[in-house]
Amino acid sequence: MSKRASSKHKIDRRLGENLWGRPKSPVNKREYGPGQHGQRRKGKVSDYGTQLRAKQKLKGYYGNVSEKQFRKIYAEATRRKGDSSESLIGLLESRLDAVVYRAKFVPTVFASRQFISHGHIKVNGRRVTVASYSVKVGDLIEVKDSSKQLAIVIEATQLAERDVPDYIEVDHNKMTAKFARVPGLADVPYPVHMEPNLVVEFYSR
C-alpha cells in the first residue's frame, strides 16, 4: 500500500498554501517555506518550475497518490476525448477515497484511504478496500452499519469547514452517498487554486 512519507503539514509549508483549508495548517501562521532559508525572497520561477509546482499541489492534495498512480491517471486522461485537464480532475474525483472524503464520512483525505483499507466502506452493497477504486456515476457508497457510530465519522459529518459538493448526493442519517456525476474543475471545491492544464503540460514535455 502506498504511504505518504512526509507530514501533510510539511506539504503545506513547502508549497506555501493551506492545501486542504484546515484551520490547523501552519501556513495560517507562517506563509513562508520551512528551514533557515524559508523567508528568502524567491527568484523568477521557470515554466518547468511552475508546472512542477502545479503537479505537486494537485498530487499532494489527494494525499496518498503515488507518482506511478498519478502518471497512470494522467495517461488515462489523455486517452479520453475532450479536454485532458478536465478529464484528469474527473478521474481524480472519481477515486473512492476522494468520494468518501467529499461525502464528509471522514475529516481528511488521509483518513479516507485508511478508512477504506480497514473495510468500513461498501460500494453497491459490496465491501471495497481499495482506495483507488474508480467510482462510476450512479454508484451507491455507504458506511458499513457497524462503523456508523465511530468517532471519526461523527466528527467528520459535523465539520463546518467544508460542504458536500453537488455532484455527490449524501444522506448523513443513513450514511450513504451517490456519485451523481463526474465533475469538472469548476465544480470541485478546492481551497486553493488548481491548474490541471499545467500538470498536463508537465507530463507532455
Side-chain angles (χ1 to χ4, degrees):
M1 183 177 76
S2 175
K3 184 178 180 182
R4 163 62 65 196
S6 58
S7 161
K8 52 184 174 288
H9 289 326
K10 285 183 181 177
I11 301 170
D12 274 1
R13 285 293 305 282
R14 188 172 69 244
L15 293 172
E17 296 187 63
N18 187 350
L19 206 52
W20 299 278
R22 299 285 286 170
K24 290 183 179 179
S25 172
V27 177
N28 296 340
K29 295 179 181 178
R30 300 184 294 268
E31 293 189 356
Y32 50 86
Q36 61 178 331
H37 304 300
Q39 296 186 63
R40 270 186 174 175
R41 183 180 293 176
K42 293 180 174 65
K44 187 179 179 182
V45 181
S46 66
D47 288 346
Y48 175 82
T50 303
Q51 293 163 0
L52 176 62
R53 179 183 169 82
K55 194 259 304 192
Q56 289 174 327
K57 196 160 64 167
L58 187 63
K59 179 170 166 281
Y61 178 85
Y62 289 93
N64 289 290
V65 182
S66 69
E67 178 61 28
K68 185 178 179 181
Q69 283 180 317
F70 199 72
R71 187 179 282 275
K72 190 176 179 181
I73 292 168
Y74 158 76
E76 174 60 29
T78 56
R79 275 197 297 267
R80 298 190 172 190
K81 290 181 179 179
D83 189 327
S84 294
S85 61
E86 290 288 333
S87 294
L88 179 63
I89 295 299
L91 287 167
L92 287 166
E93 285 293 308
S94 298
R95 286 172 56 98
L96 183 57
D97 53 358
V99 175
V100 169
Y101 171 63
R102 293 285 181 223
K104 290 177 70 173
F105 292 158
V106 290
T108 69
V109 71
F110 296 89
S112 179
R113 188 179 185 91
Q114 188 176 43
F115 195 68
I116 294 163
S117 66
H118 286 183
H120 298 296
I121 291 292
K122 292 196 292 185
V123 179
N124 299 329
R126 296 179 61 184
R127 191 176 71 158
V128 177
T129 58
V130 180
S132 60
Y133 176 89
S134 184
V135 178
K136 306 293 188 294
V137 172
D139 280 356
L140 185 70
I141 297 91
E142 60 184 313
V143 177
K144 200 172 63 174
D145 286 341
S146 59
S147 307
K148 290 178 180 178
Q149 295 306 311
L150 289 174
I152 190 174
V153 176
I154 295 170
E155 175 201 345
T157 57
Q158 296 173 351
L159 278 175
E161 65 194 44
R162 60 188 175 92
D163 298 319
V164 178
D166 63 5
Y167 51 90
I168 296 175
E169 299 169 1
V170 177
D171 185 336
H172 281 144
N173 292 319
K174 294 180 180 178
M175 294 306 293
T176 61
K178 182 182 177 183
F179 193 54
R181 61 184 174 85
V182 178
L185 176 61
D187 303 312
V188 183
Y190 292 118
V192 297
H193 180 55
M194 293 294 185
E195 299 169 291
N197 57 307
L198 294 182
V199 180
V200 172
E201 288 177 15
F202 174 84
Y203 281 119
S204 61
R205 291 175 72 91

